[in-house]
Amino acid sequence: MGMQPKLRFKGFTDDWEKRRLIDNTKLITKGTTPKDKSGVGNVNFIKVENLSNNQIYPVQKISQEEHDSYLKRSRLQANDILFSIAGTLGRIAIVGSSLLPANTNQALSIIRGYDFDSDFLITSLSGHVVAEYIRKNPTVGAQPNLSLEQVGNLIISSPIEEEQEKIGSFFKLLNHLITVNQRKVDLLKKKKTGYLQKLFPKNGQNNPELRFKGFTDAWEKRRLKSMGDFRRVSVDPQKTPNTLFTEYSMPAYDNNKTPNIVLGSTIHSNRLQIGDNVLLINKLNVRQKRVWYVKRSGNNAVSSSEFMPFTSESLKLSFLKQLLLSDKSTKFMENISSGTSNSQKRITPLDISNYLIEKPTDAREQDKIGDFFETLDNLITVNQRTTILFAPNQNSTLSL
């Protein structure tokens, strides 16, 4: 029986065939580094970092003279496929006519005159082929680079042209959806950064630049230790909690989301018991601003000792969370943190207890600010999850 994927578009039953890229391509080449580093000119110069989500975002320029002289060999044409072969392997995009004139360097190979549907070939090279090659050639992973000969020897499993077009169009649409959602996420994060600056007072000010309607009272300054406590409750080693908040269960795509809940986890002596309405402040990674607000834990949860569980009866924790995520708080914690490197800088409950914060005297304004930012956080999370949902599994790209 011939080679076939597990999932097919309706109407296709023919076997797929393995085809060596060099045997189905007119030219595979690469460029070189420009001698002129000024970045002045009218020709787009494309590097690996300009490729993202199968799109090209050129930021550098070279002169027409360079383009037509010693860089002549790598002058790009419409429909050329750029494929990264140094540094980050497997970044890929197609050159559109609107980018021309354009050129590239030796970290990107140029694939021209290929006997495949362009979107299908991009999908194939986006992960599956390179991942398989690296698996069989571990040294490529240690020193990430591919020669042009190795690129030419990559094996592309492909169906008939019509099925290639179906698959290529499908993944092109997915990539478009990923890009659109990522732009939404970036815009929302930018908006949140702006609001964090405007909804909290600047240094030397008693009021923020932007207020919710109906609130005019000056904010007050209080030390954190005067408004709450860092909870350190011993845990009965004979009792297993229903939930355990751990640093290592955090979703990578959202550092501000409540940690994942792990059921039936074993208790160790370094665990801290937490209840409802607790702010978990991470001791490490100060610059990453890891803060989580736990509204309901079931009163039988514990956290890793890398967290500082803070409780307060007089301060809205949803408000404090956003204050701790602001640049002002980050700078304060960087100044008081200890550690030999940025990645290991840590703070202690004693350090942060002395933080002199500014807060609204009216609890309703605290609620307004906390709820506003929680809505923004939820929008960011939803769009990030959508982006991940749309993202194809690159290790099984050709299974469709």
Side-chain angles (χ1 to χ4, degrees), residues 20-176:
R20 199 165 64 125
L21 187 60
I22 190 63
D23 297 331
N24 296 271
T25 305
K26 292 180 180 178
L27 176 68
I28 298 178
T29 188
K30 62 181 179 180
T32 190
T33 301
K35 297 175 184 177
D36 184 353
K37 308 298 183 184
S38 67
V40 176
N42 66 333
V43 177
N44 287 318
F45 191 76
I46 304 169
K47 297 185 289 186
V48 173
E49 54 264 37
N50 303 136
L51 272 61
S52 177
N53 291 331
N54 295 355
Q55 300 293 318
I56 301 173
Y57 305 94
V59 294
Q60 187 174 330
K61 299 287 185 178
I62 60 172
S63 67
Q64 189 70 44
E65 181 181 357
E66 287 183 294
H67 184 61
D68 292 333
S69 57
Y70 68 95
L71 295 177
K72 182 178 180 179
R73 177 171 58 88
S74 52
R75 289 186 298 187
L76 298 176
Q77 298 179 13
N79 297 320
D80 282 350
I81 286 179
L82 298 180
F83 179 67
S84 62
I85 57 175
T88 304
L89 303 183
R91 289 193 183 186
I92 190 166
I94 189 169
V95 177
S97 57
S98 61
L99 283 170
L100 302 179
N103 212 302
T104 189
N105 64 11
Q106 65 272 22
L108 288 169
S109 63
I110 305 167
I111 303 172
R112 179 177 299 161
Y114 40 86
D115 188 22
F116 300 94
D117 174 78
S118 58
D119 292 323
F120 174 83
L121 183 57
I122 286 175
T123 299
S124 300
L125 293 174
S126 289
H128 174 80
V129 172
V130 173
E132 181 67 13
Y133 185 86
I134 292 175
R135 186 184 68 81
K136 293 180 179 179
N137 300 272
T139 55
V140 174
Q143 294 291 332
N145 63 80
L146 292 170
S147 67
L148 294 181
E149 181 181 5
Q150 288 171 321
V151 173
N153 285 328
L154 292 174
I155 301 299
I156 309 297
S157 299
S158 66
I160 61 174
E161 183 176 356
E162 187 178 356
E163 189 173 3
Q164 288 184 40
E165 292 173 356
K166 286 275 190 181
I167 294 170
S169 296
F170 175 75
F171 279 98
K172 184 178 182 179
L173 175 60
L174 281 183
N175 284 325
H176 173 71

Side-chain angles (χ1 to χ4, degrees), residues 9-23:
F9 283 98
K10 187 175 181 180
F12 297 101
T13 57
D14 294 341
D15 290 341
W16 287 31
E17 62 176 326
K18 292 185 176 181
R19 300 161 65 185
R20 199 165 64 125
L21 187 60
I22 190 63
D23 297 331

